[in-house]
């Protein structure tokens, strides 16, 4: 068997192994439920060899949508005692138990990709007719509930909502959040070495926010008013922008019109105008913003490059970002490091503070391509390819040694390999 065929087989087997009666866990043990952006990315992998299963992944995810349109970050379809904090701590009373925050909505972009890739047109049309109205409600929710003052920049209430949970970008904003004082038993450290995971004081603050949402009965207005952590997450905003543009393209193709669609068009325009609020002229980079102190989170992380993916950077900014990407890649042995290797907060092995994630590289490469930097995009792809071939399908990779870190046999790594690299 040729090497690539073997890798394809292994990647497929990971998805089969992580399948739990129709949805896919990111990896058994460490993450035993269905995660929002993981599910979307994993569907890309399934699509390569089982189209019905790819659509099913997304239907499972959408089955957890709240009445207000929100699609949660985790769906606790079945119980498991290998993860904390579980449904009781989150306290939601929905039919499908879930967390009360969302995650970067790459889902819609992926639905558009599946739509374009589908060989079974009948199945595609049937699934899309079901999924599209939910996607529209999901996007309307982002702009309505998370940008109540129509600034153009949606607000996130938890580092976990960014998907880049432990990014140094959140450090100072999170420091302002009180710590819980009750005892709890973390489960992640039963699976993974502590040097690759967040510290306890960060966990205490993550949990404070989880309780805060519950105590506010998940009321959007109250949370917006009182939440001690509010951020304009540049990565989430860029992914949302990409996804809304893709949603509008899908609607156009399918002749879906009406006031909701018009309102989404207004939202993308607003975001495009507002994005400069997150640009720092002095360092020529995009950052997230802490809305409690009204200041940029000035640590360079790979989130800033995703503005290319959302077509939010102007030509001059795009040129600067593309140049920066090349320097960034040569500053660590493996690329692209999630935190700029020249930053003092850079830790090449710790969760979101330095390691490389395949799906982020993929979005950065797509963004570079969209902006005309195909050579740099090809370089990102090559760097990504080396990594997973060296260390297989881990959750993320040490940016200096290339070693696999976090969970093994990881769904999104296998899916990105199947979709993009193999
Ligand atoms: C971690 C990651 C998050 C991901 C989840 C499941 O919490 O930070 O982005 O969705 O694991 O893989």
């Amino acid at each position: 068997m040729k090497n690539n065929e073997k890798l394809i087989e292994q990647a497929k087997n990971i998805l089969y192994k992580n399948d739990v009666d129709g949805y896919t866990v990111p990896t058994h043990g460490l993450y035993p439920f269905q995660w929002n952006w993981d599910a979307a990315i994993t569907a890309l992998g399934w699509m390569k060899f089982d189209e019905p299963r790819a659509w099913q992944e997304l239907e499972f995810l959408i089955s957890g949508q709240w009445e207000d349109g929100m699609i949660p970050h985790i769906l606790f379809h079945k119980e498991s005692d290998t993860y904390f904090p579980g449904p009781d701590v989150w306290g939601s009373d929905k039919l499908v138990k879930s967390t009360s925050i969302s995650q970067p909505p790459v889902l819609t972009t992926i639905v558009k990709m599946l739509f374009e890739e589908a060989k079974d047109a009948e199945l595609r049309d049937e699934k899309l007719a079901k999924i599209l109205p939910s996607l529209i409600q999901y996007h309307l929710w982002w702009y309505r509930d998370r940008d109540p003052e129509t600034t153009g920049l949606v607000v996130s209430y938890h580092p976990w909502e960014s998907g880049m949970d432990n990014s140094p970008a959140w450090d100072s904003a999170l420091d302002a959040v009180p710590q819980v004082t009750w005892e709890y038993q973390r489960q992640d450290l039963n699976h993974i070495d502590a040097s690759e995971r967040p510290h306890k004081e960060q966990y205490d603050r993550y949990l404070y926010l989880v309780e805060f949402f519950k105590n506010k009965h998940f009321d959007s207005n109250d949370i917006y008013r009182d939440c001690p952590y509010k951020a304009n997450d540049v990565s989430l905003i860029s992914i949302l922008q990409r996804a809304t543009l893709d949603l509008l393209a899908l609607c156009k193709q399918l002749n879906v019109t009406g006031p909701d669609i018009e309102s989404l068009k207004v939202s993308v325009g607003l975001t495009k105008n507002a994005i400069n609020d997150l640009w720092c002229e002095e360092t020529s980079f995009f950052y997230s913003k802490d809305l409690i102190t009204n200041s940029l989170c000035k640590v360079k992380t790979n989130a800033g490059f995703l503005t290319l993916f959302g077509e939010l950077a102007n030509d001059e900014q795009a040129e600067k970002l593309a140049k920066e990407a090349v320097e960034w890649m040569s500053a660590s042995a493996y690329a692209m490091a999630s935190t700029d290797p020249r930053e003092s907060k850079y830790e090449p092995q710790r969760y979101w503070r330095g390691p490389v994630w395949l799906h982020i590289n993929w979005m950065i490469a797509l963004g570079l391509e969209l902006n005309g930097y195909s050579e740099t995009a090809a370089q990102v792809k090559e760097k990504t390819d080396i990594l997973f071939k060296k260390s297989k399908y881990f959750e993320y990779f040490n940016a200096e040694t290339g070693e696999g870190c976090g969970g093994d046999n990881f769904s999104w790594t296998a899916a990105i390999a199947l979709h993009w690299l193999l």
Side-chain angles (χ1 to χ4, degrees):
M1 208 190 262
K2 284 206 226 84
N3 206 17
N4 261 16
E5 282 172 23
K6 206 166 135 207
L7 286 165
I8 291 173
E9 259 334 282
Q10 285 168 351
K12 283 162 80 172
N13 284 336
I14 288 174
L15 298 193
Y16 284 130
K17 182 170 175 264
N18 291 345
D19 171 84
V20 180
D21 302 333
Y23 64 93
T24 319
V25 298
T27 184
H28 287 286
L30 181 65
Y31 304 126
F33 307 109
Q34 190 185 33
W35 263 256
N36 183 326
W37 71 337
D38 295 68
I41 291 160
T42 301
L44 278 181
W46 282 115
M47 195 64 179
K48 289 286 160 207
F49 60 100
D50 189 342
E51 292 194 11
R53 182 61 187 76
W55 292 111
Q56 188 185 37
E57 186 73 34
L58 303 183
E59 287 182 304
F60 258 95
L61 179 63
I62 290 170
S63 75
Q65 183 165 37
W66 287 19
E67 305 84 58
D68 61 5
M70 198 267 280
I71 300 182
H73 116 276
I74 306 177
L75 299 182
F76 304 111
H77 293 295
K78 279 189 189 149
E79 284 181 23
S80 167
D81 55 9
T82 64
Y83 181 87
F84 178 86
D88 298 346
V89 185
W90 285 92
S92 106
D93 53 359
K94 310 292 173 202
L95 205 59
V96 179
K97 292 212 165 57
S98 73
T99 60
S100 61
I101 53 171
S102 193
Q103 251 189 337
V106 69
L107 167 64
T108 308
T109 293
I110 285 170
V111 168
K112 180 163 174 280
M113 290 177 174
L114 299 195
F115 177 79
E116 286 159 1
E117 248 186 66
K119 294 192 190 76
D120 185 339
E122 202 179 314
L123 181 72
R124 173 198 71 194
D125 294 345
E126 178 208 319
K127 296 298 176 187
L128 206 71
K130 271 169 78 185
I131 290 175
L132 199 64
S134 305
L135 295 179
I136 294 171
Q137 291 313 311
Y138 183 35
H139 283 246
L140 290 170
W141 169 82
W142 275 111
Y143 297 114
R144 185 189 59 236
D145 283 43
R146 295 311 190 85
D147 185 17
E149 294 181 68
T150 35
T151 64
L153 302 176
V154 296
V155 180
S156 312
Y157 297 133
H158 199 297
W160 291 347
E161 193 151 61
S162 74
M164 302 182 172
D165 303 17
N166 197 30
S167 165
W170 315 133
D171 285 358
S172 59
L174 192 64
D175 275 351
V177 174
Q179 291 172 260
V180 293
T181 47
W182 42 272
E183 295 287 313
Y184 58 92
Q185 186 67 43
R186 273 172 76 171
Q187 296 287 345
D188 55 330
L189 302 180
N190 298 338
H191 309 287
I192 306 294
D193 191 81
S195 68
E196 294 171 17
R197 298 289 303 177
H199 298 288
K200 178 180 183 311
E201 62 174 85
Q202 286 158 335
Y203 247 83
D204 289 347
R205 297 189 161 99
Y206 296 149
L207 291 173
Y208 179 90
L209 290 170
V210 170
E211 276 204 317
F212 171 85
F213 306 138
K214 184 167 60 179
N215 293 339
K216 292 284 175 192
H217 309 287
F218 316 115
D219 183 285
S220 290
N221 292 329
D222 289 358
I223 294 174
Y224 184 70
R225 195 189 55 225
D226 299 334
C227 190
Y229 176 99
K230 289 204 265 189
N232 287 145
D233 169 3
V234 68
S235 149
L236 195 151
I237 287 168
S238 302
I239 293 171
L240 175 64
Q241 181 79 353
R242 169 80 274 132
T244 309
L245 291 171
D246 291 338
L247 180 58
L248 290 171
L250 273 176
C251 289
K252 190 166 175 202
Q253 205 159 343
L254 301 169
N255 282 322
V256 177
T257 55
D260 287 348
I261 309 304
E262 291 312 307
S263 142
L264 291 173
K265 285 185 194 161
V266 172
S267 298
V268 290
L270 278 171
T271 304
K272 182 92 185 166
N273 285 334
I275 199 70
N276 271 333
D277 218 29
L278 306 182
W279 175 255
C280 167
E281 201 52 55
E282 202 188 317
T283 56
S284 297
F285 206 68
F286 281 106
Y287 299 92
S288 295
K289 189 175 190 178
D290 176 353
L291 289 170
I292 304 290
T293 59
N294 214 19
S295 55
L296 292 179
C297 310
K298 280 274 218 41
V299 187
K300 284 191 178 176
T301 72
N302 57 358
F305 293 116
L306 292 173
T307 47
L308 297 170
F309 181 64
E311 291 184 86
L312 284 167
N314 63 32
D315 291 350
E316 205 183 309
Q317 289 163 337
E319 195 180 329
K320 288 183 174 159
L321 290 174
K323 194 163 158 266
E324 174 78 26
V326 175
E327 289 168 17
W328 194 300
M329 280 191 267
S330 54
S332 59
Y334 293 87
M336 302 188 55
S338 42
T339 297
D340 183 347
R342 297 155 292 185
E343 288 276 4
S344 60
K345 295 218 167 188
Y346 171 62
E347 290 181 78
Q349 88 296 349
R350 196 184 296 277
Y351 198 53
W352 295 109
R353 304 178 85 86
V356 187
W357 268 261
L358 260 53
H359 70 298
I360 305 287
N361 276 10
W362 168 68
M363 287 188 278
I364 292 174
L366 283 177
L368 285 163
E369 240 162 52
L370 273 173
N371 287 266
Y373 296 93
S374 313
E375 252 176 61
T376 315
Q379 221 179 314
V380 176
K381 186 173 183 184
E382 205 180 299
K383 297 263 183 194
T384 316
D385 202 47
I386 294 173
L387 249 183
F388 102 91
K389 285 187 178 156
K390 171 183 159 70
S391 300
K392 301 289 163 13
Y393 300 99
F394 269 85
E395 181 179 4
Y396 49 94
F397 300 87
N398 183 314
E400 295 304 336
T401 65
E403 258 169 282
C405 303
D408 193 359
N409 295 319
F410 216 83
S411 295
W412 66 16
T413 309
I416 289 291
L418 285 169
H419 172 77
W420 188 39
L421 303 168
L422 293 169

